[in-house]
Structures are given as structure tokens and as C-alpha cells.
């Protein structure tokens, strides 16, 4: 009697948002083996992805032109409240974040 093959575990969707293409490329290379990686260079593109794909985790840069990271994550909370939201910055933006 043949044992059924274990079901392939589906990868969780993760979205990285940064206006620096090299950062996005590096993050993609680091995470693509364990996650289904989505990339966006700005908050507006990220929102379009969030609206069409069930994202488990979103990681956003803070300083981006057009929409700051904390503004993006505030909107993501409304669209996808169960998504884990993480804000990264290389600057001291404590006032903006709070």
C-alpha cells in the first residue's frame, strides 16, 4: 500500500517596500527560499499588492518619497488587519513613528 506524499506546505506571502532597488533585491535573495516574496518601490504600489494578495508580513522602509512608511502601514492596517506590519529605518525618526 502506497503512503500518500505529504502535502507541500504553501509559502507565506511577505511584502518588502523600499525605494532603494538594491535593498529590495537583497531582501528578495535572502527570503525567497522560505517565503513568496513581493516587492514594491513605493507605498502606492504596496497598497495595490495588499489589496490583491493575502500578505502575511509587510516590512516597510520609513523614508520614501510620496508616502512615508508609517503612513503606509496605517493604511495597511485598515485593508489587512491581520497582516504583521514592521517599520524599518536607518534614521532617527522616533517623533514621526510615535
Amino acid at each position: 500500500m502506497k503512503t500518500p506524499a505529504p502535502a507541500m506546505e504553501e509559502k507565506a506571502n511577505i511584502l518588502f517596500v523600499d525605494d532603494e532597488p538594491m535593498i529590495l533585491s537583497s531582501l528578495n535573495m535572502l527570503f525567497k527560499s522560505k517565503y513568496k516574496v513581493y516587492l514594491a518601490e513605493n507605498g502606492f504600489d504596496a497598497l495595490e499588492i495588499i489589496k490583491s494578495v493575502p500578505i502575511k508580513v509587510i516590512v516597510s522602509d520609513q523614508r520614501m518619497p510620496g508616502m512615508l512608511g508609517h503612513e503606509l502601514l496605517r493604511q495597511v492596517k485598515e485593508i489587512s488587519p491581520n497582516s504583521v506590519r514592521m517599520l524599518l529605518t536607518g534614521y532617527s525618526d522616533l517623533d514621526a513613528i510615535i
Side-chain angles (χ1 to χ4, degrees):
M1 177 179 224
K2 242 183 176 180
T3 16
M8 293 273 304
E9 209 174 288
E10 195 170 320
K11 292 180 179 181
N13 297 330
I14 187 168
L15 170 60
F16 293 105
V17 188
D18 199 307
D19 61 324
E20 295 289 333
M22 287 189 64
I23 300 275
L24 290 176
S25 179
S26 298
L27 290 167
N28 183 42
M29 294 300 291
L30 284 169
F31 287 91
K32 70 180 182 180
S33 66
K34 294 191 178 189
Y35 300 93
K36 172 70 173 138
V37 177
Y38 292 83
L39 306 172
E41 290 188 8
N42 60 65
F44 303 105
D45 291 346
L47 288 172
E48 291 305 312
I49 293 169
I50 286 281
K51 290 174 185 174
S52 62
V53 178
I55 297 294
K56 184 80 169 174
V57 177
I58 177 171
V59 181
S60 177
D61 184 27
Q62 168 62 7
R63 289 192 181 187
M64 296 181 294
M67 183 184 305
L68 295 173
H70 74 275
E71 296 168 337
L72 166 63
L73 296 182
R74 184 180 305 127
Q75 291 185 48
V76 168
K77 182 179 180 182
E78 297 298 317
I79 298 166
S80 180
N82 293 326
S83 295
V84 174
R85 299 169 307 279
M86 298 178 71
L87 183 67
L88 300 178
T89 184
Y91 299 95
S92 179
D93 283 345
L94 187 58
D95 291 337
I97 294 167
I98 291 174

